[in-house]
Amino acid sequence: MASSFITKEIESRIRQSPEHLFEVFLEIHEPINKEPPEILVKYPDDFSDPILKTAANFAYPCQIPPDDQSEHFTFVILDSTGTLFRFGYCRRSNRESTCLCLISYYPWFEIFYNILNDLSQIINSKSTTEVETFLSSLYNHKLLSSEEFYNNSCRETIEITSLSNIYTYSRPDLRKLPSTLSNRNFSVLFSCLGPDNMLRLFSHLLFERRILFISSKLFHLTACACGCLHLINPMHWQNIFLPILPESMTWTAQCSAPYIIGIHSSLYSKLNRNELGDVVIVNIDNRTIESQYNDLNLFPKQLVRQMRKDIQQSSQLAGDHLARVFLRTMAFVIGNYASGFVEKNEKLDFDRDVYLKQYQGSDLYNFMSSIVNTQMFEQLSRYRTHVKITHETEMDEFDIEVRNLEQSKQATNPLIEQVQNKAERLQTAINKAGQKVVSEASAVKTNLTSFDINDVIRRKVEESIESNHLALPQPNHSGTLTSSSSRSTTPGLDPSKANSLIDFDTDENLLLPSPIVLDVVQVPSAPEPSRLSPKIDSKIKQLQSELQYKVQIFDGKRINPREEYGEEQTEIKTLVQQFDPLNESSAVLFRSDINAADRHPSLNEHIPTNYVNNVLRNIQSTYGTNTRMNPRTTHPVQHASHSSLAADFDPLVAPEASLYPSFQSTETHGSNLIDFN
């Protein structure tokens, strides 16, 4: 429980109404031969404070090459109470052997950097009187009080006169969030570290880790060390804060207390890394953060995802969008601090146990407990208690963000509800579609398991033959064959008597055609030649065994037939076409040639081409003949003409040499008969 309340000045560690714009101006000469730096000019002359020697060491914290000395940087020292910050703004140039320094209570980085630039020009003019006039006007300038400044719409112009010029500066409003355009420290922090490192740094700051910044540029040390304080707004850092660490104070990096320290890379290389302990090392030059803590994992996952998204979007926008992302996060985390207020002895106070009671039993308890036990939250709760008691009505950016967050929770947006309802329905549809896919996949696997090679062969061949069905010729009264159609001169087949080229119902060889018997002349048909039946049944069984093996190792991936059998499709089509001598245009369709929508669900693979070729070669070697028949011969039809027709329709039936002429030519004269040669 907080023992007493504190004011804004103590909580922020920034003096609210200093008497002068700056405390002292110093011109410090660089050290020579390892001698301490020497103060050449001091204004006002009667200023006496132990900080003078300390300031000289901070102005030259280490040996820096002359080419790297042209830069602005700021060091921080404490006042006599050891509580409030005093900022030492420095300007060094490689054309000069001195450092200009202004020490002030005001955290106005851009203002004092501009003042140092103007003062450097005046000093280079070799006019001592003008320098004194400028410093006197700056030192004695009376600023408006905070209340007057806010009542004047936060506008105030600081006019500084010299003998020849009038210099004007605009007073900044510290209540506003830092902008990436106007706040140099915050913009350099983002450009040097990037979004991800800024998010990690924010988590380490919130848990008060020991953070050590390293860089070869003093300005980068100042910008990152001072700029990171904006990430924890409205809380303020209550521990050791040294944006620039001189060589004489490097032992401070080994302190066990939380700190934010910036050290030049030349000094860091001299430190013993093992003596630093569990320090978080932020290497600005390399854009890396080394830490044994994974504090970001302690944050709520949804909060981290939202912050990443907002930071990515704000990086493309100007203004205070980036700073507002972190302020909104702080409002989400500690915006309900008022729930810890209790009355004790008729006095209002803050009780951290009462505040944490709302998180007991939830996943946020450890996260919130770690934050509540920091010194930053302790000082914030005590200051907010003071505000509650004194009934101060002034609202800062944090209060506005908390109010907006509460309103967004209470407001019911019909559009948001509609989107949420649609999302729920969409999720239901996706689940149903997923179940359907699983069911269909199971059905496909079942079909593959029951796949019958004989059924596939029969169906494919029947479809090919039926598409080219022909009619048998009928005899007329004159004993000659005539077509059933008077328009065509080509003999046709009777559909009622048509036989398949490959008869699967016969008990004999399944892949060989049966002879066709014609009733033109009652002459005994030529005897069927003896056949050496090839072991086609064993081949088919072997095919079935291979297919069954593929089904057992089926992993859900469909085989692309074009890739597996594409090189032999042309040869297979040519050979299979020869079994249909009546239709030259009939095409053999492979699975790869058929649209996916027309495929049978049980067909997922082809009959391997090598087995088809082996079967055809067996047929060729067993039943092949060198004799060719021309169905378009002009010889008159004799009584034995049925044998000629039988030979035409069954190319494996050998005709008698006495009835049919033999041609030795290799030309087919337009015939579709099989040429096994």
Side-chain angles (χ1 to χ4, degrees):
M1 179 177 292
S3 58
S4 61
F5 55 84
I6 59 176
T7 61
K8 178 65 176 177
E9 183 175 274
I10 298 177
E11 191 267 337
S12 64
R13 308 183 71 178
I14 301 296
R15 178 165 291 183
Q16 298 302 304
S17 299
E19 184 179 356
H20 301 284
L21 192 59
F22 68 93
E23 298 300 306
V24 63
F25 166 75
L26 303 173
E27 184 177 2
I28 308 171
H29 195 279
E30 65 181 356
I32 301 175
N33 297 328
K34 297 184 180 180
E35 293 292 329
E38 181 184 359
I39 298 177
L40 302 179
V41 178
K42 180 181 64 172
Y43 185 90
D45 297 334
D46 58 350
F47 182 84
S48 61
D49 194 287
I51 68 168
L52 294 179
K53 184 178 179 180
T54 304
N57 291 329
F58 276 96
Y60 289 94
C62 60
Q63 292 291 335
I64 299 177
D67 295 339
D68 296 337
Q69 290 186 4
S70 183
E71 56 183 345
H72 294 95
F73 61 93
T74 302
F75 60 86
V76 175
I77 53 179
L78 300 179
D79 67 343
S80 58
T81 64
T83 302
L84 304 182
F85 291 148
R86 286 189 287 189
F87 301 90
Y89 304 98
C90 300
R91 182 188 186 275
R92 287 169 52 175
S93 174
N94 53 12
R95 297 174 299 178
E96 304 166 356
S97 59
T98 60
C99 175
L100 305 181
C101 179
L102 280 169
I103 299 178
S104 172
Y105 283 102
Y106 289 101
W108 298 350
F109 294 87
E110 284 73 23
I111 295 296
F112 284 102
Y113 287 156
N114 293 333
I115 292 175
L116 289 174
N117 292 336
D118 296 335
L119 190 57
S120 176
Q121 294 180 357
I122 297 174
I123 293 175
N124 292 334
S125 66
K126 307 300 182 180
S127 175
T128 306
T129 305
E130 189 169 0
V131 172
E132 292 180 355
T133 303
F134 180 86
L135 291 175
S136 176
S137 176
L138 184 65
Y139 184 79
N140 296 312
H141 182 82
K142 297 301 180 180
L143 295 172
L144 298 176
S145 64
S146 298
E147 185 178 356
E148 293 173 344
F149 176 68
Y150 297 145
N151 293 335
N152 195 32
S153 302
C154 300
R155 295 179 181 179
E156 182 180 1
T157 301
I158 303 173
E159 292 187 359
I160 307 300
T161 60
S162 65
L163 296 178
S164 57
N165 290 317
I166 298 178
Y167 302 90
T168 59
Y169 311 97
S170 297
R171 178 179 176 177
D173 184 6
L174 298 181
R175 299 182 306 174
K176 292 184 178 180
L177 296 178
S179 171
T180 53
L181 296 179
S182 59
N183 192 297
R184 188 183 306 187
N185 293 338
F186 197 66
S187 60
V188 171
L189 173 68
F190 180 74
S191 61
C192 288
L193 297 185
D196 292 337
N197 286 332
M198 280 188 68
L199 198 57
R200 291 186 59 190
L201 179 60
F202 168 72
S203 65
H204 296 318
L205 287 169
L206 210 56
F207 291 107
E208 288 187 341
R209 304 299 185 189
R210 300 162 61 237
I211 302 175
L212 186 64
F213 289 93
I214 304 172
S215 177
S216 59
K217 300 288 185 180
L218 296 179
F219 171 68
H220 286 171
L221 293 176
T222 297
C224 293
C226 297
C228 71
L229 299 182
H230 295 291
L231 303 179
I232 56 177
N233 188 22
M235 296 193 300
H236 296 84
W237 189 257
Q238 303 296 327
N239 299 282
I240 301 174
F241 182 65
L242 295 170
I244 301 294
L245 185 68
E247 186 175 4
S248 60
M249 297 179 62
T250 54
W251 55 268
T252 312
Q254 301 177 9
C255 291
S256 59
Y259 61 68
I260 296 177
I261 293 179
I263 185 172
H264 196 270
S265 55
S266 62
L267 298 180
Y268 174 74
S269 60
K270 301 177 182 179
L271 297 178
N272 188 347
R273 181 65 178 84
N274 297 328
E275 295 179 355
L276 296 178
D278 57 347
V279 64
V280 177
I281 299 177
V282 182
N283 194 316
I284 301 174
D285 298 338
N286 297 336
R287 297 170 64 97
T288 59
I289 295 180
E290 300 178 13
S291 174
Q292 69 181 44
Y293 300 105
N294 200 351
D295 294 330
L296 198 59
N297 282 352
L298 301 178
F299 280 63
K301 304 302 181 184
Q302 182 179 1
L303 180 62
V304 175
R305 287 194 298 267
Q306 186 63 38
M307 288 187 69
R308 292 184 188 277
K309 178 181 177 181
D310 294 342
I311 291 175
Q312 188 67 26
Q313 294 177 352
S314 63
S315 62
Q316 304 174 359
L317 303 174
D320 61 355
H321 295 277
L322 181 60
R324 194 166 294 277
V325 172
F326 294 94
L327 182 66
R328 189 180 302 116
T329 302
M330 295 298 295
F332 176 83
V333 174
I334 61 174
N336 60 344
Y337 64 89
S339 60
F341 288 145
V342 295
E343 287 188 5
K344 185 178 181 181
N345 299 329
E346 298 181 354
K347 292 183 179 180
L348 185 67
D349 207 342
F350 183 87
D351 193 324
R352 94 178 42 157
D353 295 331
V354 174
Y355 177 74
L356 288 175
K357 188 176 296 184
Q358 59 185 320
Y359 298 106
Q360 289 182 352
S362 66
D363 298 336
L364 295 177
Y365 182 80
N366 293 334
F367 171 72
M368 293 303 303
S369 178
S370 300
I371 295 177
V372 169
N373 286 281
T374 61
Q375 285 186 283
M376 296 185 298
F377 186 85
E378 172 72 15
Q379 294 293 80
L380 176 68
S381 62
R382 295 172 65 184
Y383 165 66
R384 294 288 171 170
T385 305
H386 165 72
V387 173
K388 189 75 172 179
I389 293 175
T390 56
H391 302 287
E392 293 183 3
T393 57
E394 180 184 350
M395 295 186 63
D396 56 10
E397 291 287 344
F398 177 73
D399 296 326
I400 296 175
E401 202 64 40
V402 171
R403 183 186 61 184
N404 295 337
L405 183 61
E406 293 176 352
Q407 292 177 354
S408 63
K409 291 181 179 179
Q410 297 175 359
T412 56
N413 192 332
L415 180 59
I416 296 178
E417 293 180 356
Q418 182 179 1
V419 172
Q420 292 177 349
N421 294 335
K422 288 185 177 180
E424 293 177 358
R425 292 196 297 268
L426 180 61
Q427 186 64 37
T428 303
I430 292 175
N431 295 337
K432 291 183 179 179
Q435 295 176 358
K436 184 177 181 181
V437 169
V438 173
S439 177
E440 291 183 354
S442 177
V444 169
K445 188 172 182 179
T446 303
N447 292 335
L448 284 175
T449 306
S450 59
F451 183 76
D452 188 1
I453 188 64
N454 291 327
D455 180 68
V456 175
I457 296 175
R458 183 183 297 107
R459 188 187 312 112
K460 285 298 180 180
V461 176
E462 287 178 355
E463 290 177 358
S464 177
I465 295 176
E466 290 176 0
S467 62
N468 300 280
H469 206 285
L470 299 178
L472 290 174
Q474 299 291 335
N476 55 13
H477 296 287
S478 60
T480 61
L481 292 174
T482 60
S483 175
S484 60
S485 176
S486 60
R487 296 183 181 181
S488 176
T489 59
T490 303
L493 296 178
D494 186 358
S496 61
K497 299 182 180 181
N499 293 328
S500 301
L501 294 182
I502 300 177
D503 187 6
F504 291 96
D505 296 329
T506 180
D507 294 333
E508 299 179 1
N509 199 322
L510 295 179
L511 293 181
L512 297 180
S514 300
I516 300 176
V517 180
L518 300 180
D519 297 332
V520 179
V521 179
Q522 297 298 329
V523 179
S525 59
E528 184 176 355
S530 61
R531 306 183 182 183
L532 299 176
S533 176
K535 299 180 179 180
I536 299 179
D537 292 336
S538 62
K539 295 293 183 180
I540 293 177
K541 292 180 180 179
Q542 190 174 354
L543 286 175
Q544 291 175 329
S545 300
E546 180 181 355
L547 183 60
Q548 185 67 25
Y549 172 75
K550 289 187 177 183
V551 171
Q552 293 177 356
I553 63 172
F554 178 70
D555 60 350
K557 297 182 180 179
R558 301 174 67 90
I559 299 177
N560 190 346
R562 290 187 180 274
E563 298 178 357
E564 187 174 6
Y565 308 116
E567 297 180 357
E568 300 182 355
Q569 287 185 1
T570 304
E571 180 183 355
I572 296 174
K573 288 182 179 182
T574 304
L575 293 175
V576 177
Q577 267 187 340
Q578 295 174 355
F579 278 92
D580 190 1
L582 297 180
N583 190 351
E584 188 178 61
S585 62
S586 61
V588 178
L589 298 180
F590 289 85
R591 180 173 180 78
S592 59
D593 300 329
I594 306 175
N595 294 331
D598 300 330
R599 295 173 179 173
H600 193 277
S602 64
L603 296 180
N604 284 272
E605 294 186 5
H606 283 299
I607 305 171
T609 307
N610 56 336
Y611 288 97
V612 177
N613 290 337
N614 291 337
V615 173
L616 294 179
R617 291 191 186 98
N618 290 337
I619 298 172
Q620 176 181 353
S621 60
T622 305
Y623 306 100
T625 177
N626 294 329
T627 305
R628 301 191 175 206
M629 305 309 299
N630 191 346
R632 300 180 182 178
T633 179
T634 57
H635 294 281
V637 179
Q638 302 178 9
H639 294 284
S641 60
H642 64 281
S643 299
S644 174
L645 291 175
D648 288 343
F649 289 105
D650 190 353
L652 300 180
V653 177
E656 297 180 4
S658 60
L659 297 178
Y660 300 97
S662 176
F663 299 93
Q664 300 298 329
S665 174
T666 59
E667 298 179 1
T668 59
H669 301 284
S671 173
N672 288 332
L673 298 181
I674 299 176
D675 182 6
F676 286 105
N677 293 329

